[in-house]
Amino acid sequence: MKIALITENSQAAKNAIIHDALISVAEPLGHQVFNYGMYTAEDEASLTYIMNGLLAGILINSKAADFVVTGCGTGMGSMLACNAMPGVFCGLIIDPTDAFLFGQINDGNAISMPYAKGFGWAAELNLQDVYRKLFDGARGLGYPKERAEIMRKNRGILKDLKAATCNDMLTVLQSVDQDLLKAAIAGKHFKEYFYANAQDEGMVTYLRGLTG
């Protein structure tokens, strides 16, 4: 699995802590982690929680990433922005129980976490435990197990509902404020990671034309 980490400006100073916790769990399980920044609070390319969502939409819909780990001060803003994107199903995750239930019941492709609210002593241990519940073993098995089939059915209904209410991602890219879009993909390693992994030629062509 290709996992993308996205950190917005108010919590950028914690990127290294979050990244270290993520790779310590994900990489031994055979997953790849791509850190799209922000890397420090002083980065020239600054991401807002709204840009987190837009970038998550780009990565998931182009298949440059299979899963997005993001967040903000409370986790709420990034979650809302992610869920505004076609094909992105983002849960607000605070603790390992949230992570387990989200993975088994909702089987989404993105999480948003609070990196200010409640982020105190041993926060890195909570991050590691969350990532273990998400990435170690199969997801979407249901909880409780006897409700697995109805949960699977509901996930399909929700996917169809979102497809009916959202534009495709290329249309989103063409329709959003182009300065906002340019800012969302201005990160130091975006071109390096994205173009090596993206599988949607329409999106690749459009973004190459936008940035030159």
Side-chain angles (χ1 to χ4, degrees):
M1 183 185 295
K2 294 176 290 189
I3 303 169
L5 173 62
I6 307 171
T7 313
E8 53 89 59
N9 51 23
S10 77
Q11 305 305 310
K14 296 170 184 167
N15 176 270
I17 296 172
I18 301 163
H19 181 248
D20 288 349
L22 181 56
I23 62 172
S24 73
V25 173
E27 289 189 347
L29 295 171
H31 304 302
Q32 294 176 281
V33 175
F34 298 90
N35 187 354
Y36 280 84
M38 297 174 61
Y39 307 100
T40 72
E42 290 75 39
D43 282 12
E44 183 176 346
S46 181
L47 291 171
T48 65
Y49 74 83
I50 301 163
M51 295 174 193
N52 283 8
L54 184 54
L55 183 52
I58 291 169
L59 299 179
I60 292 294
N61 284 280
S62 68
K63 299 184 180 179
D66 303 303
F67 200 96
V68 168
V69 173
T70 188
C72 51
T74 65
M76 292 286 190
S78 290
M79 179 198 68
L80 292 170
C82 284
N83 283 323
M85 295 295 110
V88 181
F89 298 88
C90 182
L92 176 64
I93 304 300
I94 297 172
D95 58 37
T97 302
D98 290 340
F100 173 78
L101 294 174
F102 177 69
Q104 296 306 316
I105 296 172
N106 308 106
D107 193 19
N109 51 21
I111 65 166
S112 180
M113 295 190 70
Y115 297 128
K117 180 179 180 289
F119 198 91
W121 188 67
E124 76 282 2
L125 301 181
N126 182 62
L127 291 176
Q128 291 169 8
D129 288 342
V130 162
Y131 301 146
R132 286 190 189 95
K133 289 295 186 183
L134 277 171
F135 302 126
D136 189 3
R139 294 185 298 124
L141 299 180
Y143 183 87
K145 294 286 197 241
E146 58 268 23
R147 289 186 54 79
E149 179 57 27
I150 188 63
M151 291 171 179
R152 184 199 62 78
K153 182 178 179 180
N154 283 336
R155 288 196 299 271
I157 293 170
L158 179 60
K159 184 176 181 181
D160 290 343
L161 176 63
K162 187 153 193 170
T165 60
C166 290
N167 290 316
D168 65 276
M169 196 64 205
L170 181 57
T171 300
V172 172
L173 297 183
Q174 294 167 339
S175 304
V176 297
D177 181 291
Q178 298 298 281
D179 289 335
L180 178 71
L181 176 56
K182 289 177 183 178
I185 62 173
K188 182 178 179 181
H189 294 291
F190 175 82
K191 291 182 179 179
E192 174 188 353
Y193 296 157
F194 177 75
Y195 293 120
N197 292 287
Q199 299 177 37
D200 187 295
E201 288 302 319
M203 292 175 59
V204 167
T205 299
Y206 186 77
L207 292 178
R208 281 194 188 278
L210 188 70
T211 57

